[in-house]
Amino acid sequence: MGKNISEKLKSGAVIALQGTLGTGKTTFVKGIALGLDITENITSPTYTIISEYYGKKALYHMDLYRIDSYEEFELLGTDEMIYGSGITIIEWSEKITDYLPDNTININISILPDKKRKIDIVGIQ
Ligand SMILES: Nc1ncnc2c1ncn2[C@@H]1O[C@H](COP(=O)(O)OP(=O)(O)OP(=O)(O)O)[C@@H](O)[C@H]1O
Ligand SMILES: [Mg+2]
C-alpha cells in the first residue's frame, strides 16, 4: 500500500501518519521509500526524531513520539522540510496538528480483530 501511494505523492507532499503504538506506521513508510527508489534501510526515527533519505524525491521521516512542544519541533528546522520539495511523513503528528499545512494528507492505520490493518487515507487526489 505504501509503495502504491508513493506514486501519487507530489513534490512537497506532507503526510500526517496516525495510528496507536505498533500499528505499522514505520512499515508503511518503508513501502513509500521503496516506491521512491530509496535503497537505504528505513529505521524508526524515535530517538533521532528525523531521518532523511534521497531517492526519486527527498523523504523526511519524522517521529514526534518524544517531542513535547511545537517549539521543540520547529527548532529542528522542520519548516524547511515541510515547505520544501521533498515528501514529509510524520508519525505521532497529533502533537502538532494545528501547525501542519492545510493540504496535509491524513493516513490513519488501525488494527482489525484479525490483526489485518485498516488504512484510511484522506487528501490524495
Ligand atoms: N500491514 C501489516 N500487517 C501485519 N503486521 C504488520 C503490518 N505492518 C506492520 N506490521 C508489524 O507490526 C509491528 C509494528 O510495526 P511498526 O514498527 O511499523 O509500527 P509503528 O506504528 O511504526 O510503531 P511505533 O508506534 O512504535 O512507531 C511490526 O512487528 C511489523 O512487522
Ligand atoms: Mg514507528
Side-chain angles (χ1 to χ4, degrees), residues 1-2 5 17 24-32 107 109 119:
M1 174 77 86
I5 291 296
L17 185 53
K25 299 180 290 298
T26 299
T27 305
F28 190 84
V29 175
K30 285 183 194 213
I32 289 183
I107 299 183
I109 308 180
I119 302 177

Side-chain angles (χ1 to χ4, degrees), residues 22-27 29 43-46 61-63 91-92:
T23 42
K25 299 180 290 298
T26 299
T27 305
V29 175
T43 54
S44 180
T46 305
H61 180 197
M62 306 179 184
D63 184 330
E91 295 189 36
W92 298 102

Side-chain angles (χ1 to χ4, degrees), residues 56-118:
K56 282 194 273 194
K57 292 186 176 80
L59 175 66
Y60 306 112
H61 180 197
M62 306 179 184
D63 184 330
L64 308 189
Y65 193 70
R66 287 170 185 277
I67 288 278
D68 292 318
S69 66
Y70 175 70
E71 286 68 28
E72 208 181 313
F73 174 72
E74 198 185 22
L75 280 171
L76 297 169
T78 46
D79 266 9
E80 260 182 64
M81 299 172 190
I82 288 178
Y83 296 100
S85 58
I87 308 284
T88 304
I89 307 181
I90 314 174
E91 295 189 36
W92 298 102
S93 61
E94 295 89 317
K95 302 203 171 184
I96 53 139
T97 305
D98 291 351
Y99 303 94
L100 290 173
D102 289 341
N103 59 353
T104 296
I105 295 163
N106 281 288
I107 299 183
N108 194 299
I109 308 180
S110 50
I111 306 183
L112 300 175
D114 63 0
K115 299 277 190 287
K116 280 187 181 160
R117 267 58 172 178
K118 177 169 173 277

